């Protein structure tokens, strides 16, 4: 009888282990930064201030921050409270909730792709252009300062300085 109990326990633990290993809903990443690395992306794509994240079976990623915030890589970057994207190996596509400042304009980041890790470059699709940056800028998760009034002042300044908003008289 003791042999049966031992065999039963072994089978039970082996089955449980296999279920855990192959369950698509479970993530073995201890943080979003570990998950990014496991998917061939640099950990520093998202700030330290990530509160939590969810990843669905089909790769839909939702990242929750404490609140909107600003950080800087090469240019300033604005993260909304929730950043969403489709996560596949070496890419975040259909990104929502992330904007990058280019020449005093805030442009939404649409896709982030590491085509060739050996090149040391990462590609950002900002709609009107593709921008290549050094992967080394994204090695470590940056500190992200809570979005303050400065972001709105920048948007306000852009709006009032736009030629279409200036009174021609």
């Amino acid at each position: 009888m003791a042999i049966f109990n031992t065999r039963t326990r072994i089978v039970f633990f082996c089955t449980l282990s296999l279920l855990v290993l192959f369950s698509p809903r479970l993530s073995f990443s201890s943080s979003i930064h570990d998950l990014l690395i496991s998917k061939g992306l640099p950990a520093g794509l998202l700030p330290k201030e990530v509160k939590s994240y969810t990843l669905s079976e089909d790769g839909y990623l939702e990242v929750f921050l404490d609140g909107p915030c600003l950080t800087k890589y090469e240019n300033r970057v604005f993260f909304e409270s929730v950043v969403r994207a489709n996560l596949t190996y070496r890419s975040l596509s259909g990104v929502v909730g992330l904007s990058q400042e280019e020449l005093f304009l805030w442009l939404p980041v649409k896709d982030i792709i590491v085509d060739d890790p050996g090149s040391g470059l990462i590609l950002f699709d900002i709609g009107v252009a593709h921008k290549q940056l050094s992967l080394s800028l994204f090695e470590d998760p940056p500190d992200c300062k809570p979005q303050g009034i400065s972001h709105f002042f920048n948007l306000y300044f852009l709006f009032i300085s736009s030629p279409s908003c200036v009174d021609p008289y």
Side-chain angles (χ1 to χ4, degrees):
M1 185 82 166
I3 294 172
F4 180 73
N5 286 337
T6 303
R7 283 185 186 167
T8 304
R9 288 180 190 163
I10 290 171
V11 169
F12 174 76
F13 285 117
C14 287
T15 304
L16 183 62
S17 297
L18 288 173
L19 286 173
V20 169
L21 281 174
F22 294 107
S23 175
R25 290 186 171 261
L26 295 177
S27 171
F28 295 102
S29 298
S30 59
S31 73
I32 185 65
H33 306 104
D34 293 335
L35 175 64
L36 291 173
I37 291 168
S38 75
K39 291 292 190 173
L41 294 166
L45 280 178
L46 293 168
K48 292 177 186 174
E49 290 75 13
V50 171
K51 189 169 46 174
S52 64
Y53 71 94
T54 60
L55 179 63
S56 68
E57 292 178 24
D58 64 354
Y60 186 71
L61 177 67
E62 287 185 299
V63 179
F64 304 94
L65 288 91
D66 289 328
C69 64
L70 288 169
T71 193
K72 186 171 183 173
Y73 297 105
E74 185 176 86
N75 294 338
R76 292 190 313 163
V77 174
F78 175 73
F79 290 93
E80 293 180 16
S81 298
V82 180
V83 177
R84 295 176 175 92
N86 294 303
L87 177 63
T88 57
Y89 192 70
R90 296 194 316 213
S91 112
L92 286 168
S93 60
V95 178
V96 176
L98 177 60
S99 300
Q100 181 174 318
E101 187 180 36
E102 292 291 329
L103 300 173
F104 305 106
L105 296 173
W106 286 97
L107 301 172
V109 174
K110 297 183 182 292
D111 300 309
I112 302 170
I113 302 166
V114 177
D115 275 330
D116 177 15
S119 71
L121 297 174
I122 187 167
L123 176 76
F124 282 77
D125 177 356
I126 51 174
V128 296
H130 291 94
K131 185 169 184 175
Q132 289 186 335
L133 298 171
S134 172
L135 274 168
S136 64
L137 291 170
F138 304 93
E139 287 176 357
D140 299 315
D143 290 316
C144 200
K145 297 180 179 162
Q147 172 245 330
I149 195 107
S150 65
H151 177 66
F152 291 109
F153 277 133
N154 286 335
L155 292 175
Y156 178 72
F157 176 77
L158 175 67
F159 179 76
I160 64 168
S161 64
S162 171
S164 63
C165 298
V166 175
D167 187 356
Y169 299 105

